[in-house]
Amino acid sequence: MVTRLYDKKDIKIFILFILNNLNRPMKYEDINDTIMQDGIVGGLDFADCFADLIDAGNIQEIRDEDTLYYELTLQGRQVVESLQNDIPKSVRAQGLKSAFRLLDFKERGSEISAKYSLRDDGKYDLCCSIIDEKQLSLEIKLIVESSNQLELMMHNFDDRPEVMYRGIVALLTGDMEYLLND
C-alpha cells in the first residue's frame, strides 16, 4: 500500500528528492504529474509546497523562449541530500520508479487515442489505444453502458494514459499490491 505524505516538510523533501534524481529542468505540469501520480502527495499540498520551495530558493525558474521550466538550485540539492532519509525508503523508491516510467512514456512521444461509436442498443463501443514508436502497445475495447460513463472513461484515459496502462498491466499480471494502493 502506498504511503501518503501529509506533513508539508515531508512533501517538500519528497518533491526535492524526485527533482534531484531526475536531474533535469522540467515544466510545471510534468513535475505535478510526476509527484502526484501514485497518490503519495495530494494536489493542493503539491501546489502549496512547490510554491514554498521556489520562495525559499530551493527551486528556480528557467525561461526558454516561451516555456517556463523549473530545476533545483544548489541550495535545494544540499537540503535534499541532508534530509532525504526523513522520507521512508519505500516511498522514495516507489516515487522514483513511477517518475522514471512516466517520463519515459512522455519522452517516447506515445500517441494516445480514445474513440467511440454508438451501438444499435443505445450503448457505446469504446476503443482506447496507445501507439509507441509506430507500434501498437495497448488496445482495449469495451462496451460502455451510458454516455456519462463513456465521458469519464475517455477523460481518464486521455488525461493519464500511463496510469491506465499500469493498471491494466497490474490487472493482467495479478499485481495485487498495485491494485490495493488506491
Side-chain angles (χ1 to χ4, degrees), residues 127-145:
C127 180
C128 298
S129 64
I130 299 173
I131 298 173
D132 290 324
E133 299 172 2
K134 299 184 181 179
Q135 180 177 338
L136 184 66
S137 63
L138 172 79
E139 182 175 57
I140 188 164
K141 296 178 181 182
L142 299 167
I143 297 173
V144 181
E145 298 290 324

Side-chain angles (χ1 to χ4, degrees), residues 89-130:
K89 186 176 184 176
S90 61
V91 172
R92 288 181 281 146
Q94 178 63 40
L96 268 184
K97 179 180 167 186
S98 296
F100 283 122
R101 186 181 304 126
L102 174 66
L103 289 179
D104 180 54
F105 193 86
K106 288 186 175 204
E107 288 173 355
R108 285 193 318 249
S110 300
E111 294 177 37
I112 310 306
S113 173
K115 298 177 183 177
Y116 72 92
S117 59
L118 184 59
R119 298 167 46 100
D120 291 338
D121 61 3
K123 297 176 185 177
Y124 300 88
D125 286 322
L126 173 63
C127 180
C128 298
S129 64
I130 299 173

Side-chain angles (χ1 to χ4, degrees), residues 1-3 33 36-40 93-95 97-99 101-102 105 130 138 156-157 160-182:
M1 186 165 179
V2 171
T3 302
D33 291 348
M36 293 184 10
Q37 70 177 319
D38 287 326
I40 294 170
Q94 178 63 40
K97 179 180 167 186
S98 296
R101 186 181 304 126
L102 174 66
F105 193 86
I130 299 173
L138 172 79
N156 285 329
F157 188 77
R160 301 190 62 182
E162 74 287 348
V163 173
M164 299 299 135
Y165 181 82
R166 281 195 338 239
I168 291 166
V169 170
L171 282 169
L172 293 173
T173 59
D175 183 356
M176 294 308 291
E177 185 176 316
Y178 177 83
L179 298 173
L180 298 174
N181 284 339
D182 249 354

Side-chain angles (χ1 to χ4, degrees), residues 3 5 10 13-14 17-18 21 38 40 80-81 83-100:
T3 302
L5 300 177
D10 291 343
I13 295 168
F14 182 71
F17 173 78
I18 296 295
N21 282 280
D38 287 326
I40 294 170
V80 73
E81 287 180 19
L83 297 176
Q84 68 185 350
N85 290 331
D86 289 359
I87 305 298
K89 186 176 184 176
S90 61
V91 172
R92 288 181 281 146
Q94 178 63 40
L96 268 184
K97 179 180 167 186
S98 296
F100 283 122

Side-chain angles (χ1 to χ4, degrees), residues 52-66:
D52 289 348
L53 289 167
I54 292 172
D55 291 344
N58 294 311
I59 296 174
Q60 66 184 352
E61 296 177 346
I62 300 169
R63 185 164 297 280
D64 181 26
E65 296 178 20
D66 293 332

